[in-house]
Amino acid sequence: MLEVALEEARKGFAEGGVPVGAALFAADGTLLGRGRNRRVQDGDPSAHGETAAFRDAGRQPTYRGTTMVTTLSPCWYCSGLIRQFGIPRLVVGECRTFMGQHEWLARHGVEVVVLDSRECVDLMTAFIAANPALWNEDIGK
């Protein structure tokens, strides 16, 4: 499942955007939606990877059993989306470059799996080194 999110992150990086990708999967593993951070490309501060995957999945009658997969620990905004819609499982590619709110989600009943993916770390590290101002803008610093 992480590979789908990584494909999106790589696309975002190639487009000059923040390389965070995400995907939403049904309980049976079916891909419901995928997306990437498009804040730079679209000039939209709300276009985060998780929200893009959520929107791509379209309206669902329930989010029971779904899994959100993201290359980077989700920020407050995306964590709120996960909690608001009751997405019960989160798979995080990495949290070394940004300690988002996955621990908060875990404290509130979301099953969280942190993979510590070397590829996710390397992609974000390269982006942050090349674009520190853009990265600080993205995380609200």
Side-chain angles (χ1 to χ4, degrees):
M1 290 192 280
L2 181 62
E3 186 54 38
V4 176
L6 262 167
E7 286 174 15
E8 290 296 322
R10 288 184 209 111
K11 287 178 188 175
F13 188 75
E15 295 166 350
V18 180
V20 177
L24 184 64
F25 291 89
D28 66 1
T30 301
L31 177 64
L32 298 173
R34 60 191 299 156
R36 61 189 169 279
N37 185 307
R38 294 192 50 87
R39 293 181 68 254
V40 174
Q41 299 93 314
D42 296 348
D44 179 353
S46 70
H48 290 209
E50 297 88 344
T51 58
F54 186 75
R55 288 177 183 140
D56 187 53
R59 185 173 163 213
Q60 303 293 315
T62 182
Y63 293 91
R64 258 186 230 110
T66 61
T67 299
M68 177 67 77
V69 180
T70 182
T71 57
L72 186 64
S73 181
C75 68
W76 277 115
Y77 172 62
C78 296
S79 294
L81 179 143
I82 291 164
R83 183 107 194 272
Q84 171 71 30
F85 290 94
I87 296 170
R89 186 166 191 256
L90 172 68
V91 175
V92 176
E94 67 101 351
C95 60
R96 290 186 198 189
T97 59
F98 179 72
M99 180 58 92
Q101 299 307 317
H102 67 273
E103 290 177 346
W104 176 79
L105 286 166
R107 286 193 304 273
H108 288 87
V110 175
E111 177 190 351
V112 175
V113 177
V114 178
L115 300 176
D116 198 25
S117 160
R118 171 53 50 199
E119 188 170 359
C120 290
V121 171
D122 290 348
L123 187 59
M124 282 308 300
T125 300
F127 172 78
I128 293 167
N131 303 282
L134 183 55
W135 173 241
N136 286 332
E137 174 191 327
D138 192 66
I139 61 173
K141 283 191 173 181

